[in-house]
Amino acid sequence: MGQRSTSATATFEHVDLAGGSAGAWRNDTVLMPPDRQIENSAKRRGMQGDFSESGGRYTVTGSGRVGPQEQDDDPVEASLLGIIAGVMALIAVGVLYATSEYRRGMIRTTFAAVPRRGRVLAAKALVLGGVSFVLGLIGVVVAYLVARPMVRENGFAPPAFPDESISDPAVVRTLLLSAAFMALLAMFAMAVGVLLRHSAAAITLTIVLVVLPVIVGSILPGTLPRLLMYTTLAGGLATQRAKPPTQTLAEPWSLIGPWAGIGVVAAYAAVALALAWWRLRRSDA
């Protein structure tokens, strides 16, 4: 319900130093992002941190955690929050990639040139998916490189958080799967456009299928949010996380792993494309 700062004192004796020392001991205040509000409250109440040394006896006084405790918050995920905006744009592009030909009547020309409609759908999906993946990968890499230093300056830095680099396997996996999530969602949106043949309806339906589970999953109790992420497109947002799943965060997609999330989106895209192929074969252009 709330947190209230308190002050505590710890005393350390018989401290041994392995190796040499270039100077005198010094104290430094270490803050993790969740501690900043507590620390500000402590300062307002006059509870400042203090450190003293006398005869090998070290006394530390302060407010907050005694030592660094790694949090479940993910700096990589925080750097890629812009993916949500990119996803919304790609949904619109994917739907219009399908519906624009119907609106202008060009679909008849397309099918006249290539009578095998399944081949047309496959070609559209491959082109859209490939371009979306490349653009998405460029976008997430640039977002990470630009946002990570700012996130680091705001507390997501050692010792509370690891100082990862873009070459770390977990970061590489996150960037690749995030781009794959965007590409698969664009193909799903295209398939919905083929099924509905109405731009506004298809865009709205796809966005609702992504956003609504996030909202509902944020308020559901127990294991229901995890089940929702395993069965809806919102689970694909788990690709943003470089850390393992956790139950301590507000975002419901943190309850599942990235591979499970991308698998759910891939299944949705495959089913939607299969239905779109069936619709193309059984209905007029």
Side-chain angles (χ1 to χ4, degrees):
M1 296 300 296
Q3 301 181 65
R4 180 179 178 87
S5 56
T6 58
S7 182
T9 299
T11 302
F12 303 89
E13 296 181 302
H14 309 295
V15 179
D16 294 326
L17 175 65
S21 175
W25 285 91
R26 65 179 179 87
N27 66 300
D28 197 7
T29 301
V30 178
L31 290 180
M32 292 182 281
D35 291 334
R36 292 192 180 275
Q37 185 176 1
I38 304 175
E39 179 69 15
N40 292 335
S41 173
K43 289 181 178 179
R44 288 194 299 267
R45 299 172 57 198
M47 293 187 297
Q48 300 291 339
D50 187 34
F51 163 79
S52 62
E53 185 269 332
S54 177
R57 182 185 180 96
Y58 300 85
T59 303
V60 180
T61 300
S63 176
R65 291 177 171 86
V66 173
Q69 301 172 2
E70 185 172 349
Q71 304 293 299
D72 290 325
D73 298 274
D74 193 336
V76 179
E77 179 186 8
S79 303
L80 300 180
L81 286 178
I83 284 180
I84 297 177
V87 162
M88 298 299 108
L90 278 177
I91 287 174
V93 170
V95 169
L96 293 174
Y97 192 58
T99 58
S100 58
E101 284 193 285
Y102 285 97
R103 186 174 66 253
R104 299 174 182 176
M106 293 297 296
I107 193 68
R108 297 185 181 89
T109 305
T110 300
F111 287 152
V114 185
R116 299 184 64 176
R117 300 184 178 186
R119 181 174 296 179
V120 172
L121 181 65
K124 280 180 170 290
L126 288 175
V127 171
L128 178 64
V131 172
S132 298
F133 178 80
V134 172
L135 293 179
L137 184 59
I138 294 174
V140 296
V141 169
V142 171
Y144 176 81
L145 294 176
V146 171
R148 186 63 183 99
M150 294 186 287
V151 172
R152 188 179 292 110
E153 290 176 359
N154 283 275
F156 288 92
F161 294 92
D163 195 11
E164 83 290 329
S165 70
I166 196 171
S167 61
D168 289 348
V171 178
V172 172
R173 182 208 69 208
T174 300
L175 298 177
L176 290 175
L177 288 186
S178 296
F181 164 61
M182 299 170 76
L184 288 170
L185 198 55
M187 289 191 288
F188 174 83
M190 185 200 72
V192 174
V194 172
L195 288 168
L196 300 183
R197 300 184 181 182
H198 190 281
S199 301
I203 292 174
T204 301
L205 176 61
T206 307
I207 291 177
V208 168
L209 289 176
V210 176
V211 175
L212 185 61
V214 173
I215 298 174
V216 175
S218 300
I219 59 178
L220 285 177
T223 60
L224 293 177
R226 179 185 286 108
L227 177 61
L228 201 60
M229 294 300 104
Y230 274 127
T231 55
T232 64
L233 290 170
L237 293 170
T239 56
Q240 300 177 51
R241 287 185 55 81
K243 287 188 173 183
T246 177
Q247 298 181 8
T248 63
L249 301 179
E251 54 266 23
W253 60 81
S254 64
L255 292 168
I256 67 174
W259 291 107
I262 198 67
V264 172
V265 180
Y268 266 86
V271 172
L273 287 171
L275 292 175
W277 174 77
W278 174 82
R279 174 82 190 274
L280 284 177
R281 288 177 60 89
R282 295 183 61 88
S283 60
D284 294 333

